[in-house]
């Protein structure tokens, strides 16, 4: 069977991996000239099913628990590995400490920390927060490194990858993984604005979420003292540049977490549009030509492994359509 996957974001690449490892001949096409720019490129890379349960339905936890293991096995190699399993730290400014109790009540898989516990996990935050929540089962990765590595791995497995092309390739089945570009009236866009800061004075070992009643934000450490600061959640599919207000809120959050972010350089601003269905859960659906994987919302890296498995099973049981 030959499968054509349209879209080389995280949905398309994870599906390609599930199919290729089962011996299916896969071609991926993407209309972009390279991987940069899609929602997947802008992601934080948190694999945080327990934290996400705060605002998400139960399947996000049940399906998301396999994600860190999936990424580890799909991207083998010597250290440094792609998946960092250091958990997630959740803190709140003193005036919003009630938000921590609310967050704890809506989630599981966490331990309460006092000030010393916060400092033991993240020495740079010593003395800054009286209480915190630690989610030890969570992980994170650098989405850009992971996407590039997965693409190289796919090529090594025999998958053909074409960027900058809408060429029609002969295939028995097509998989639509085109994110917001999909012809699906049920999809809506949720705008996410983010920054990448270079902060030589700050060291963090894990994603840190800063709770706030209006603007909960997070900071994800990357290599070379870079930090992804994200992300807004705006009901809009406007891909235009980051607004001044969002930029100020993101920078304020970073600065209130650690004053060392005041000296940081802003090395990038970005806007990604998360594709979402009304229930904010992803779907694998049959189409005339094969399947569609979409609606990954704010859980692309977390849920695409489970969605890819479902889609691959559907494709391998699909009667070959004419296309
Ligand atoms: C700021 C931000 C932070 C996020 N943080 C996280 C996080 O920490 N953890 C997490 O799990 N998720 C996170 N997400 C969510 C995640 O990024 C998305 O759920 C995911 O990227 C959606 O992946 P996708 O492959 O469906 O879409 P995309 O990544 O948008 O990929 C779709 C691809 O299809 C291509 N395409 C479009 N039309 C065509 C066509 N006709 N033919 C071929 N190709 C086409 C596009 O060029 C694009 O490359 C975040 C998202 C944002 C915006």
């Amino acid at each position: 069977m030959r499968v054509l996957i349209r879209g080389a974001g995280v949905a398309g690449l994870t599906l390609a991996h599930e199919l290729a490892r089962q011996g299916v001949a896969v071609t991926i096409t993407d209309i972009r000239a390279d991987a940069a720019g899609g929602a997947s490129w802008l992601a934080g890379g948190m694999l945080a099913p327990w934290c996400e349960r705060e605002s998400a339905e139960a399947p996000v936890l049940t399906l998301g628990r396999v994600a860190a293991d999936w990424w580890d096995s799909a991207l083998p190699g010597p250290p440094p590995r792609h998946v960092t399993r250091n958990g997630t730290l959740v803190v709140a400014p003193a005036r919003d400490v009630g938000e921590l109790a609310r967050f704890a009540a809506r989630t599981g898989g966490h331990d309460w920390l006092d000030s010393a516990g916060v400092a033991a996990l993240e020495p740079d935050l010593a003395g800054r927060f009286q209480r915190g929540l630690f989610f030890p089962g969570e992980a994170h990765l650098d989405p850009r490194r992971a996407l590039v590595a997965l693409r190289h791995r796919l090529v090594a497995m025999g998958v053909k990858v074409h960027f900058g092309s809408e060429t029609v390739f002969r295939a028995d089945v097509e998989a639509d993984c085109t994110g917001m570009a999909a012809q699906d009236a049920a999809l809506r866009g949720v705008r996410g604005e983010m920054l990448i800061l270079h902060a030589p004075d700050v060291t963090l070992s894990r994603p840190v979420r800063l709770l706030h009643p209006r603007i909960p934000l997070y900071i994800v450490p990357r290599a070379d003292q870079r930090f992804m600061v994200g992300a807004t959640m705006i009901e809009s599919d406007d891909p235009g540049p980051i607004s001044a207000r969002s930029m100020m809120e993101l920078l304020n959050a970073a600065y209130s977490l650690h004053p060392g972010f005041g000296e940081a350089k802003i090395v990038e601003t970005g806007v990604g549009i998360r594709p979402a269905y009304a229930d904010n859960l992803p779907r694998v659906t049959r189409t005339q030509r094969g399947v569609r994987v979409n609606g990954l919302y704010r859980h692309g890296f977390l849920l695409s492994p489970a969605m890819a498995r479902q889609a691959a099973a559907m494709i391998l049981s699909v009667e070959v359509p004419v296309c």
Side-chain angles (χ1 to χ4, degrees):
M1 180 192 287
R2 292 161 307 172
V3 176
L4 172 64
I5 298 176
R6 293 189 191 281
V10 72
L13 295 182
T14 52
L15 175 56
H17 189 274
E18 282 304 301
L19 290 168
R21 83 180 173 81
Q22 297 181 69
V24 177
V26 181
T27 299
I28 308 179
T29 63
D30 198 297
I31 49 171
R32 289 180 198 276
D34 58 34
S40 303
W41 196 252
L42 279 302
M46 293 177 296
L47 305 175
W50 284 273
C51 280
E52 287 299 308
R53 184 72 177 92
E54 185 252 343
S55 58
E57 299 297 321
V60 171
L61 175 57
T62 49
L63 299 173
R65 290 170 88 141
V66 302
D69 288 344
W70 189 95
W71 284 102
D72 250 344
S73 71
L75 300 176
R81 301 297 304 272
H82 285 269
V83 177
T84 303
R85 296 175 188 255
N86 283 352
T88 303
L89 176 62
V90 182
V91 292
R95 67 175 183 280
D96 297 324
V97 84
E99 290 295 310
L100 270 181
R102 197 188 62 81
F103 196 92
R106 296 179 63 87
T107 56
H110 50 66
D111 303 320
W112 277 99
L113 301 176
D114 59 11
S115 176
V118 172
L121 279 182
E122 295 291 356
D124 272 20
L125 301 185
R128 303 193 59 75
F129 298 97
Q130 293 311 306
R131 304 209 69 192
L133 289 168
F134 179 46
F135 292 76
E138 298 194 332
H140 69 284
L141 47 69
D142 179 334
R144 299 176 182 186
R145 270 189 69 223
L147 290 170
V148 170
L150 184 54
R151 199 170 76 230
H152 288 156
R153 179 129 177 93
L154 291 171
V155 170
M157 292 164 83
V159 172
K160 298 192 168 34
V161 185
H162 300 273
F163 276 95
S165 129
E166 257 199 294
T167 314
V168 179
F169 295 90
R170 288 174 61 81
D172 303 305
V173 176
E174 284 193 17
D176 178 346
C177 299
T178 55
M180 275 313 296
Q183 302 295 311
D184 186 342
L187 274 178
R188 74 183 203 285
V190 181
R191 176 177 157 99
E193 297 154 301
M194 51 79 84
L195 309 172
I196 297 194
L197 304 181
H198 179 230
D201 297 341
V202 186
T203 300
L204 296 174
S205 305
R206 54 187 54 78
V208 179
R209 294 183 181 226
L210 184 66
L211 300 185
H212 183 283
R214 269 190 315 113
I215 326 148
L217 295 162
Y218 56 81
I219 297 188
V220 188
R222 298 212 175 142
D224 305 323
Q225 300 299 126
R226 282 166 196 251
F227 298 84
M228 186 276 195
V229 184
T232 56
M233 297 275 294
I234 298 170
E235 291 288 331
S236 163
D237 56 9
D238 171 8
I242 187 169
S243 71
R245 177 184 173 154
S246 297
M247 172 91 102
M248 287 188 283
E249 287 174 348
L250 292 168
L251 289 174
N252 271 337
Y255 186 61
S256 67
L257 188 76
H258 192 293
F261 284 115
E263 302 305 317
K265 300 276 188 298
I266 301 170
V267 292
E268 184 181 325
T269 66
V271 175
I273 307 300
R274 308 174 184 90
Y277 291 112
D279 58 4
N280 292 335
L281 290 174
R283 292 180 195 166
V284 177
T285 42
R286 282 190 195 278
T287 62
Q288 228 181 349
R289 297 181 160 207
V291 302
R292 170 176 298 138
V293 184
N294 215 321
L296 283 156
Y297 182 50
R298 51 185 277 156
H299 306 125
F301 286 79
L302 182 64
L303 298 185
S304 60
M307 292 300 105
R309 281 185 183 147
Q310 285 182 23
M314 196 182 273
I315 287 170
L316 293 170
S317 67
V318 141
E319 284 181 31
V320 176
V322 181
C323 56

